[in-house]
């Protein structure tokens, strides 16, 4: 550094003019301010902060009702996909399990592509990968590939969604895949997916989001091409679709959408949809119990001990309501996890379910808060697991935590929960596929998108009074309960309901003559 400065002081470029004054090589330059440009050095070009409009999500509606949404993001690759307002909640008039079948059949042979291998080879030319995910209210076909292959990608997505062949061989392979998945689900040591199904079935008995997301075994042989086409005719319509893209130019995406998704007749015909289920979710509350021997779910040198799993939930609100943000903060404040979760900053070790439950009751293996939210309802629940002999005590600990939610909220824990929620939001939105899903889901539900800085501002505005207000309202609802394992000591549903209606969350005392 010293040598470089000496070189500059000597005037290594020979005689030059510094801010109106000349000096010769070897001579000491006069006191020149640093604001003067150095001779022979090109003028610096500084990056300017661009207008916010360049980062806003742009939405265009086509003549057929399909919406095209895009978000700019720097990089060579893009993520593009179709999100469709279709899922297991719409299967009330159909055989349960159609969405599960469609998820497994995605990216199989189409009118243009003879097989799944052909599709994968086409994507490979653009460094692409594909995926399909079906949830209770949305089915999503997505591709990540080089942005230069956008035309090919949109053509492929349109063909996969609107022109699937659904051959007998593909449907038979899907039946086998679903049967295997259902077997695996029942044998898995982690029962969380099964409990999530059960709590939804208990909370929304036989309606909308309470309908089974997985295909029942007895329906696997009943679902065929005709059944699938009758469903697709009603729910795969342009007005229920969003073509979303991240990392591409909006005008280019709109052009591709017009080329491949406008005026295209699907393989099931263009007859008018007439049996569309527009039911609003009806929260019922209730209990779903499955007695099951959990003693051998994980054998081996270090087997998981036999556990009973309980999930207790209460209705919250939809993601379209203002109270959605306070509920999200509350869920973060409750936090929780497993008894063997790794600690450290940002891992939620100061959340209530760690401090009040896992740190105090060594025999509890898990206590985790979940918040499921949909366009017309929501469900806040706590999952806990422990030895079958301590089920009653575990249930009481969870009901007490629900009651304590309506109590005093410390300023430190509230700020910590808000900061952690904002941190998680911003970290997740660094990923291109996550941005894609966020753009697609928000535009599908509201025709617009709230940007991350807007959501962070809403999170910052949450006060302890907001938490108390939403919890008080929530506690007036009937609980939903899911129980799995050895349920000998499980309290009755009426006792759990009484505990959640009491001041301290304690279960009514049970007196037994013989023990």
């Amino acid at each position: 550094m010293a040598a470089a400065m000496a070189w500059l002081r000597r005037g290594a470029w020979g005689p030059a003019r510094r801010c109106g004054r000349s000096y010769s090589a070897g001579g000491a330059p006069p006191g020149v301010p640093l604001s003067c440009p150095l001779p022979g050095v090109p003028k610096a070009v500084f990056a300017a902060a661009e207008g916010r409009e360049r980062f806003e999500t742009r939405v265009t509606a086509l003549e057929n009702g399909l919406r095209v949404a895009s978000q700019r993001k720097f990089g060579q690759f893009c993520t593009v996909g179709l999100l469709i307002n279709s899922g297991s909640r719409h299967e009330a008039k159909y055989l349960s399990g159609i969405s599960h079948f469609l998820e497994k059949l995605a990216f199989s042979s189409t009118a243009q592509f003879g097989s799944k291998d052909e599709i994968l080879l086409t994507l490979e030319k653009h460094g692409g990968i594909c995926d399909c995910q079906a949830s209770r209210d949305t089915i999503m076909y997505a591709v990540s590939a080089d942005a230069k292959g956008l035309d090919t990608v949109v053509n492929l997505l349109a063909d996969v969604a609107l022109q699937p062949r659904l051959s007998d061989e593909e449907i038979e392979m899907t039946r086998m895949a679903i049967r295997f998945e259902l077997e695996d689900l029942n044998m898995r040591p982690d029962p969380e997916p099964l409990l999530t199904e059960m709590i939804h079935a208990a909370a929304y008995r036989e309606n909308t989001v309470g309908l089974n997301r997985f295909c029942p075994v007895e329906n696997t042989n009943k679902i065929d091409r005709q059944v699938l086409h009758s469903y697709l005719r009603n729910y795969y319509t342009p007005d229920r679709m969003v073509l979303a893209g991240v990392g591409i130019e909006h005008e280019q995406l709109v052009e591709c959408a017009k080329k491949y998704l406008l005026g295209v007749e699907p393989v099931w015909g263009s007859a008018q949809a007439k049996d569309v289920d527009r039911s609003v979710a009806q929260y019922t509350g209730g209990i779903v119990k499955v007695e099951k021997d959990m003693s051998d779910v994980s054998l081996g040198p270090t087997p998981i001990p036999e556990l009973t799993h309980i999930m207790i939930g209460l209705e919250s609100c939809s993601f379209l309501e203002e109270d959605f943000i306070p509920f999200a903060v509350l869920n973060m404040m409750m936090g929780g996890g497993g008894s063997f979760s790794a600690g450290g900053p940002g891992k939620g070790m100061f959340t209530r379910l760690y401090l009040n439950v896992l740190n105090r009751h060594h025999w509890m293996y898990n206590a985790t808060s979940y918040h499921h939210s949909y366009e017309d309802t929501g469900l806040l629940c706590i999952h806990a697991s422990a030895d079958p002999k301590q089920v009653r005590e575990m249930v009481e600990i969870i009901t007490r935590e629900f009651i304590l939610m309506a109590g005093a909220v410390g300023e430190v824990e509230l700020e910590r929960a808000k900061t952690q929620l904002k941190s998680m939001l911003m970290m997740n939105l660094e990923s291109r596929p996550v941005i894609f899903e966020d753009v697609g889901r928000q535009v599908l539900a509201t025709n617009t998108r709230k940007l991350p800085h807007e959501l962070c501002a809403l999170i910052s505005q949450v006060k302890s009074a907001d938490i108390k207000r939403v919890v008080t309202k929530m506690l007036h609802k009937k609980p939903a309960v899911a129980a799995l394992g050895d349920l000998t000591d499980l309290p009755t549903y009426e006792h759990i309901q009484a505990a959640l209606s009491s001041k301290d969350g304690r279960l009514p005392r049970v007196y037994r003559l013989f023990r």
Side-chain angles (χ1 to χ4, degrees):
M1 186 71 181
M5 291 301 292
W7 180 70
L8 277 173
R9 280 198 299 271
R10 284 198 303 272
W13 291 284
R17 183 171 294 273
R18 286 280 178 100
C19 287
R21 285 193 279 181
S22 300
Y23 63 92
S24 58
V32 181
L34 293 174
S35 55
C36 291
L38 291 169
V41 177
K43 189 176 179 182
V45 178
F46 297 98
E50 297 181 25
R52 185 178 289 168
E53 65 276 0
R54 288 187 65 109
F55 300 97
E56 287 179 353
T57 303
R58 295 178 63 185
V59 182
T60 300
L62 302 187
E63 293 88 335
N64 61 356
L66 183 134
R67 287 152 288 174
V68 182
S70 72
Q71 177 77 44
R72 294 187 63 168
K73 183 173 172 65
F74 176 78
Q76 181 185 347
F77 282 79
C78 66
T79 299
V80 182
L82 270 173
L83 288 95
I84 304 167
N85 185 8
S86 157
S88 58
R89 70 171 295 163
H90 301 108
E91 293 174 3
K93 298 176 184 176
Y94 297 88
L95 286 168
S96 179
I98 289 176
S99 297
H100 196 185
F101 258 78
L102 291 172
E103 180 185 38
K104 298 294 175 202
L105 284 162
F107 295 99
S108 296
S109 64
T110 68
Q112 286 184 50
F113 301 93
S115 67
K116 191 165 197 164
D117 288 344
E118 204 174 313
I119 288 174
L120 296 175
L121 283 169
T122 304
L123 286 173
E124 210 171 89
K125 291 172 186 172
H126 301 284
I129 54 170
C130 60
D131 186 30
C132 177
Q133 291 179 11
S135 63
R136 296 179 190 281
D137 54 0
T138 312
I139 190 161
M140 182 171 65
Y141 299 87
V143 171
S144 286
D146 193 307
K148 291 174 186 172
L150 180 65
D151 190 83
T152 305
V153 167
V154 177
N155 178 26
L156 171 64
L157 285 165
D159 215 44
V160 163
L162 302 176
Q163 307 286 337
R165 284 188 186 170
L166 305 177
S167 69
D168 292 340
E169 186 186 353
E170 287 168 346
I171 290 173
E172 190 53 46
M173 290 294 287
T174 300
R175 286 176 182 145
M176 290 168 64
I178 286 173
R179 287 191 199 109
F180 174 80
E181 190 175 340
L182 294 173
E183 279 181 35
D184 178 63
L185 201 65
N186 286 312
M187 292 163 61
R188 202 179 290 182
D190 174 27
E192 198 268 323
L194 210 55
L195 280 166
T196 302
E197 286 302 301
M198 291 165 64
I199 196 78
H200 278 84
Y204 306 93
R205 195 167 290 277
E206 295 178 3
N207 78 89
T208 58
V209 293
L211 299 176
N212 202 336
R213 192 166 71 86
F214 298 106
C215 179
V217 178
E218 61 271 17
N219 284 358
T220 51
N221 285 326
K222 297 175 186 175
I223 295 174
D224 55 19
R225 190 189 300 108
Q226 190 178 347
V227 171
L228 294 170
H229 277 186
S230 68
Y231 178 87
L232 292 165
R233 192 174 294 115
N234 288 318
Y235 291 99
Y236 275 42
T237 54
D239 57 303
R240 300 177 72 87
M241 295 182 181
V242 168
L243 177 68
V246 177
I248 34 84
E249 293 294 334
H250 186 72
E251 291 75 15
Q252 198 182 351
L253 188 62
V254 171
E255 283 304 311
C256 289
K258 287 178 179 176
K259 186 175 175 182
Y260 298 113
L261 289 160
L262 197 59
V264 177
E265 182 166 337
V267 71
W268 48 85
S270 54
Q272 193 70 29
K274 47 190 174 185
D275 274 339
V276 179
D277 185 358
R278 303 188 192 280
S279 304
V280 175
Q282 301 296 315
Y283 182 83
T284 59
I287 186 166
V288 171
K289 298 188 286 187
V290 176
E291 286 267 4
K292 187 180 177 187
D293 180 11
M294 305 284 281
S295 60
D296 59 351
V297 290
S298 178
L299 299 174
T302 53
I304 294 174
E306 182 181 359
L307 299 173
T308 295
H309 302 270
I310 306 292
M311 198 178 265
I312 299 174
L314 291 163
E315 188 182 24
S316 57
C317 71
S318 89
F319 57 69
L320 299 176
E321 296 177 48
E322 288 183 1
D323 285 345
F324 172 65
I325 299 294
F327 269 116
V329 174
L330 171 64
N331 180 53
M332 191 59 67
M333 192 171 77
M334 296 309 293
S339 57
F340 297 107
S341 298
K347 297 288 177 65
M349 302 301 281
F350 286 93
T351 57
R352 285 193 178 187
L353 292 179
Y354 262 109
L355 292 175
N356 301 348
V357 178
L358 292 169
N359 288 359
R360 293 185 185 182
H361 308 283
H362 65 90
W363 45 267
M364 283 191 69
Y365 277 76
N366 186 50
T368 312
S369 174
Y370 296 97
H371 188 217
H372 305 280
S373 201
Y374 306 96
E375 64 180 356
D376 52 2
T377 187
L379 193 64
L380 183 83
C381 40
I382 295 176
H383 166 213
S385 52
D387 187 276
K389 293 172 185 173
Q390 291 171 302
V391 170
R392 184 179 176 83
E393 195 178 345
M394 172 174 68
V395 170
E396 186 169 86
I397 287 165
I398 299 307
T399 54
R400 274 163 52 195
E401 283 305 311
F402 269 110
I403 297 300
L404 288 171
M405 287 181 194
V409 178
E411 195 61 36
V412 173
E413 73 169 337
L414 180 63
E415 285 305 314
R416 183 187 288 120
K418 283 155 65 173
T419 303
Q420 202 170 345
L421 181 60
K422 285 187 277 189
S423 169
M424 189 175 288
L425 174 74
M426 299 307 287
M427 184 180 71
N428 287 333
L429 288 174
E430 286 180 10
S431 164
R432 192 180 59 250
V434 175
I435 300 171
F436 155 76
E437 188 173 346
D438 183 51
V439 169
R441 284 184 181 276
Q442 285 201 50
V443 173
L444 195 63
T446 65
N447 292 322
T448 184
R449 181 187 179 225
K450 276 193 174 79
L451 294 173
H453 70 268
E454 295 176 87
L455 292 170
C456 286
L458 291 170
I459 292 167
S460 298
Q461 290 167 17
V462 174
K463 303 283 189 293
S464 57
D466 297 320
I467 302 292
K468 189 168 184 175
R469 174 176 53 79
V470 297
V471 172
T472 304
K473 183 181 173 185
M474 179 178 73
L475 287 169
H476 284 113
K477 305 284 177 70
K478 285 175 66 179
V481 181
L484 177 69
D486 180 351
L487 309 179
T488 309
D489 291 335
L490 179 71
T492 63
Y493 178 76
E494 291 71 26
H495 280 190
I496 296 171
Q497 193 173 357
L500 288 168
S501 304
S502 66
K503 290 182 179 179
D504 58 3
R506 291 185 180 278
L507 291 164
R509 295 301 97 190
V510 176
Y511 299 99
R512 296 179 185 173
L513 193 58
F514 302 104
R515 286 194 176 272

